Amino acid sequence: MTFDAKHFLKTISHSPGVYRMFDAKGDTLYIGKAKRLNARLASYFRGALNTKTQALVARIADIQVTVTHSETEALLLEQTLIKELRPPYNILLRDDKSYPFVFVSDRHPYPALEYKRARSRRDDGRYLGPYPSSGAVRETLSLMQKIFRIRNCEDSVFAHRTRPCLQYQIQRCSAPCVDYISEDDYRQDLEHAVMCLQGKSEQVTEQLTRQMEAASQSLAFEEAARLRDQVQQLRRLQRQQYVDTDGGDADIFALAQRPGALCVSVLTVREGRMLGARHHTPDNGLDLGPEALLTDFISQYYLGQVHEPVAEIITSHPLADGELLQGVLTEQAGRQVRLTHRVRGHRAQWQQLAQTNAEQHLATQLANQTQLAKRFEALREALGLAEVPKRLECFDISHSHGEATVASCVVFDHDGPVKSDYRRFNIEGVAAGDDYAAMQQALTRRFKRLAEGEGKRPDLLFVDGGKGQLNMARDVFTALGVTGVGLVGVAKGTTRKPGLETLFVETIDHSLSLEGSSPALHLVQHIRDESHRFAIAGHRARRDKVRRTSTLQEIPGVGPKRRRELLRFFGGLQGVTQASREELARVPGISDNMARAIHQALHG
C-alpha cells in the first residue's frame, strides 16, 4: 500500500525531533533530525527532489518520529541511532579520520575558526573536536561567529581587504582586516569562543557579565549593550539539554489514552543520554485504568521478555502494585531497582518527553484513515442516517467562575481534525457562568453567517452539555432558519466517566446510549474532548493576557538582591522573561519553588 504522506503530515508535531523512515519489511531506511518535524518531513513529498531522494521516498512504508526538547538534542539522538542502526541512506563514517574538527591557527595575528575534515601534522595550531557531523561543526561555527564576531574569510581574502565586507555590516565580524579591532581584543573574543567550544561557556558568561557591569559603571553604554547581547545569547546556548545529563540509566514509560486507542511510549536513557523511544499499542479489552494498564505492561516488558531491569524506572502514572513490582524487579536484577512516578529536574523532563511522544504517536494512530472511516460508518448506523456524514462540528464553553468566557468550535471530516477550520468566540455581555447564554451567542455568530450564505455547512453539530444545550441550539436554528444540519447533545454520565455518555439526537426525547467499545462513541468522544481542549486553551490565553501585568518588583519574595541576580544572570529583563523555569532555578539564590513562582507571575 502506498504511503499516504498528506494524511500523515496532518498529525506530525512542529517540535524538534528525530524521524525514522521504514520500508515495507520494517527495516530502517533513513534517520534524520529536524528543527520542525512537520516542515522537514513535508519537504520530502513536495518540490523537486534529486534522484537518490526520490528513490528513498518511493520505498517509504512508514515513518516514526521522536519529539525532543531542542534541535541540539535531536542531533545527538540522530547520531546515536545512526551508529546503532546504520541505515543504508545515511552517510556512515568509517573511521575517526572522517570526523570533522575546528582548527585555530597560532600563526596568524587574527586567526579564524576553520573547518577541518582531518588533522594535519603541518598545521601549527589547535584542534577542537572531533564533532559528530559536519553539520554540527558548521552550526557551531556560525553561532560562535554570531556571538563573538570572529572572521570566517580565507587568509588570502583577509590580506587584500581595504574596507569591511558584508559580514561586518550585519555584525557577524569585527573587521580585523581593516584594523577596526585591536589584536588583543580580537584574541580575547577568539579565546572566549574557544572556551565555549571546550564546554567552558559558564566561565565566559561570568567574565562578560563583569565586563558589562564595568562598562555600565564607566558610562560606556554601547559597549555594555554589546556585552549584554553576548550574555543573553550565551544563556540561550546554555539551556540545559536533557538528552545528555550527569549520567544515569533509566527507562521511562508514559501512557496516553483516548477513547478506543492507547499508546505506551518507552524512552530509553543510558549514561544520561537518550537512545530513543519505542511505541506500543496494546489492547485494553478489560477497560483497565492507567495504573493497572502500566503495571501489567511493565511486568510483561521485564518479566516476560528479555529486557534487563535498569537502575531506575520512571512512569507517567502511579502503579497499582508498584512496591510489589519493584521488589520482584530488584530480585531479578540482583541489585536495587527504583520504580517511581514522582521525579524532579532532568528526570521530570524525561518523563514529560516520554508523555509527549506517547501523545504524538497516539494522534497519528487515531488519524489512520481506515480507522476513521470505520468510526464514521459506525456513527451513521448508530444515528440511523441515510448517508455517512462528511463534516462534523462540536461546540464547548470554557471559563473560570465566569471570567474570560470562550466558546470553541472544532471540525472533523474523514481525514480527522480540520484545524484550519477551528474557531474560538470570545463571549461578551452575558451573565457570569451562564453557559446557555454563552452557547447561544457562539452558535448565533457561527450560523448567522451560514444563513447568509457564508461558510461551510456541517452535516452534524454536537454540543457538549446535554438537554439544555441541545434545546438552546434548536432555538438558534429556528430563529435563523437553519435547516439540513443534524443536532446531537452529548451528556456525561452520572459519574462523568468516559464511556457512559448519553446522546440526545435532534430532541431531548430521543436519547441514545452506546456501548463503551462502540467506534461511533469513540468518534463522538474524540471530537467532544478536542472541543473541550480547544476551549480551555483559548480561555487560558484570554485570561492570562488580562492578568499578565507582573514585573519583577511585583512578585512576592523577589527583593532587590534577587532582582539584581536575575538581571545579571540573564543580561536584562527580556532574558528573564524568555527563561524557562529550569533556567530560572539556576540563578544563585533562586530555589525551585521561587523559580516556579517567578515563571508563573511572568507567564500566567
Side-chain angles (χ1 to χ4, degrees):
M1 187 174 66
T2 305
F3 181 70
D4 190 345
K6 181 178 179 181
H7 187 69
F8 169 78
L9 291 171
K10 290 182 179 181
T11 68
I12 297 304
S13 169
H14 292 269
S15 302
V18 171
Y19 55 91
R20 294 173 59 186
M21 296 175 171
F22 298 88
D23 61 15
K25 297 180 180 178
D27 296 328
T28 302
L29 293 171
Y30 182 77
I31 297 171
K33 71 168 179 64
K35 185 176 182 179
R36 294 175 62 242
L37 282 166
N38 186 282
R40 181 69 186 93
L41 288 169
S43 69
Y44 286 98
F45 302 100
R46 59 171 177 247
L49 300 174
N50 61 42
T51 304
K52 290 186 177 180
T53 306
Q54 290 177 10
L56 166 64
V57 172
R59 295 181 60 185
I60 294 174
D62 188 23
I63 300 176
Q64 291 186 10
V65 302
T66 299
V67 179
T68 62
H69 287 101
S70 68
E71 190 178 11
T72 303
E73 188 178 42
L75 170 65
L76 294 173
L77 176 57
E78 175 199 34
Q79 296 304 316
T80 300
L81 292 175
I82 288 173
K83 290 176 184 177
E84 176 188 354
L85 301 174
R86 305 180 71 82
Y89 282 90
N90 283 97
I91 297 174
L92 302 177
L93 304 181
R94 300 302 177 185
D95 53 52
D96 289 343
K97 291 182 179 179
S98 62
Y99 281 94
F101 296 82
V102 173
F103 174 69
V104 183
S105 173
D106 289 338
R107 293 176 296 179
H108 201 285
Y110 296 100
L113 293 174
E114 301 178 55
Y115 173 96
K116 294 282 188 179
R117 173 54 70 176
R119 292 176 181 267
S120 173
R121 295 180 180 179
R122 294 175 296 176
D123 289 324
D124 185 13
R126 289 176 288 174
Y127 283 89
L128 306 172
Y131 290 85
S133 70
S134 61
V137 176
R138 300 188 192 283
E139 289 173 11
T140 302
L141 291 180
S142 177
L143 187 58
M144 291 299 100
Q145 287 158 0
K146 181 178 181 180
I147 296 176
F148 297 107
R149 300 194 294 178
I150 305 300
R151 75 177 182 93
N152 64 350
C153 57
E154 297 289 340
D155 288 350
S156 58
V157 175
F158 179 91
H160 295 89
R161 294 296 306 182
T162 57
R163 57 192 178 92
C165 66
L166 180 62
Q167 292 295 311
Y168 172 78
Q169 303 294 336
I170 63 175
Q171 298 184 357
R172 297 291 293 269
C173 178
S174 52
C177 55
V178 291
D179 297 326
Y180 278 21
I181 184 173
S182 70
E183 187 174 333
D184 289 342
D185 288 344
Y186 184 87
R187 281 282 180 178
Q188 185 181 58
D189 287 340
L190 179 67
E191 194 58 35
H192 284 159
V194 171
M195 290 174 66
C196 287
L197 293 173
Q198 294 173 334
K200 302 176 182 178
S201 61
E202 189 66 47
Q203 299 177 26
V204 176
T205 306
E206 287 295 325
Q207 292 180 18
L208 294 177
T209 301
R210 289 194 295 270
Q211 294 177 18
M212 177 185 69
E213 293 173 343
S216 180
Q217 291 173 2
S218 62
L219 305 183
F221 296 121
E222 290 187 5
E223 177 66 11
R226 184 183 70 83
L227 292 167
R228 177 205 62 203
D229 293 342
Q230 286 186 335
V231 170
Q232 291 181 347
Q233 289 171 326
L234 281 174
R235 287 300 179 199
R236 286 195 287 271
L237 177 66
Q238 292 163 358
R239 284 178 178 167
Q240 182 151 357
Q241 303 302 323
Y242 301 104
V243 68
D244 206 0
T245 60
D246 294 334
D249 294 346
D251 286 340
I252 302 93
F253 295 80
L255 172 68
Q257 188 173 15
R258 293 186 190 173
L262 67 88
C263 173
V264 178
S265 285
V266 185
L267 196 70
T268 304
V269 176
R270 297 294 181 267
E271 297 181 357
R273 173 164 293 185
M274 186 176 74
L275 302 184
R278 292 189 178 274
H279 313 294
H280 305 265
T281 54
D283 293 328
N284 186 17
L286 297 179
D287 196 23
L288 300 175
E291 296 82 0
L293 264 173
L294 269 181
T295 301
D296 288 352
F297 182 87
I298 294 173
S299 299
Q300 292 184 34
Y301 187 84
Y302 291 114
L303 304 178
Q305 304 292 332
V306 295
H307 301 105
E308 180 73 18
V310 292
E312 188 168 24
I313 299 170
I314 300 170
T315 63
S316 59
H317 298 75
L319 300 186
D321 297 308
E323 292 185 5
L324 174 62
L325 182 57
Q326 178 174 289
V328 172
L329 294 177
T330 296
E331 182 177 351
Q332 175 178 315
R335 50 177 166 73
Q336 182 62 40
V337 173
R338 179 172 179 255
L339 202 159
T340 181
H341 74 284
R342 297 184 182 276
V343 287
R344 300 174 62 184
H346 62 270
R347 285 171 172 78
Q349 298 296 330
W350 291 339
Q351 185 185 54
Q352 181 57 49
L353 191 59
Q355 188 67 44
T356 300
N357 278 281
E359 295 286 352
Q360 168 68 58
H361 189 77
L362 186 62
T364 302
Q365 180 186 355
L366 286 171
N368 180 276
Q369 283 187 313
T370 302
Q371 189 176 40
L372 277 170
K374 179 181 178 182
R375 290 183 170 189
F376 269 83
E377 175 60 28
L379 182 64
R380 183 197 68 78
E381 293 179 0
L383 300 183
L385 304 177
E387 297 181 354
V388 176
K390 297 179 180 179
R391 181 183 175 93
L392 313 179
E393 291 188 8
C394 185
F395 278 71
D396 193 17
I397 306 294
S398 180
H399 58 79
S400 295
H401 305 291
E403 177 191 8
T405 303
V406 171
S408 70
C409 170
V410 302
V411 181
F412 277 38
D413 63 12
H414 290 184
D415 289 330
V418 187
K419 295 191 175 182
S420 60
D421 288 354
Y422 282 19
R423 294 292 182 269
R424 291 193 184 105
F425 303 89
N426 291 334
I427 305 302
E428 306 287 356
V430 302
D434 190 345
D435 287 359
Y436 294 137
M439 182 67 77
Q440 181 184 38
Q441 183 178 131
L443 290 174
T444 300
R445 289 165 60 182
R446 162 68 179 97
F447 287 96
K448 184 177 180 181
R449 293 184 56 214
L450 185 64
E452 295 171 352
E454 300 179 18
K456 299 178 181 179
R457 180 184 301 273
D459 296 305
L460 284 176
L461 172 67
F462 295 87
V463 289
D464 187 21
K467 295 181 179 180
Q469 296 290 28
L470 180 68
N471 284 333
M472 181 60 68
R474 176 59 63 194
D475 292 343
V476 170
F477 278 18
T478 301
L480 296 177
V482 176
T483 58
V485 178
L487 272 175
V488 180
V490 184
K492 297 182 177 66
T494 53
T495 61
R496 305 181 69 85
K497 181 180 179 181
L500 300 179
E501 291 86 353
T502 299
L503 306 183
F504 294 96
V505 184
E506 299 297 343
T507 68
I508 61 174
D509 298 325
H510 182 195
S511 63
L512 180 65
S513 295
L514 301 176
E515 292 290 334
S517 59
S518 166
L521 181 59
H522 295 160
L523 178 59
V524 173
Q525 290 171 328
H526 191 182
I527 192 171
R528 188 271 316 277
D529 293 345
E530 179 68 357
S531 68
H532 188 58
R533 179 201 65 79
F534 194 58
I536 289 176
H539 156 67
R540 288 176 176 169
R542 187 183 182 194
R543 180 197 63 193
D544 294 344
K545 184 177 181 181
V546 175
R547 294 181 179 179
R548 196 178 299 135
T549 57
S550 299
T551 62
L552 293 180
Q553 290 89 341
E554 297 170 343
I555 302 175
V558 181
K561 183 177 180 180
R562 281 177 171 157
R563 288 199 299 271
R564 183 169 62 251
E565 288 293 337
L566 285 164
L567 295 172
R568 183 177 184 272
F569 191 89
F570 293 105
L573 183 59
Q574 182 180 10
V576 178
T577 57
Q578 292 176 347
S580 67
R581 194 174 66 190
E582 290 76 17
E583 292 175 290
L584 291 169
R586 295 173 58 200
V587 178
I590 303 296
S591 64
D592 288 342
N593 289 336
M594 178 57 65
R596 186 179 299 106
I598 294 171
H599 193 270
Q600 178 69 24
L602 293 175
H603 299 278

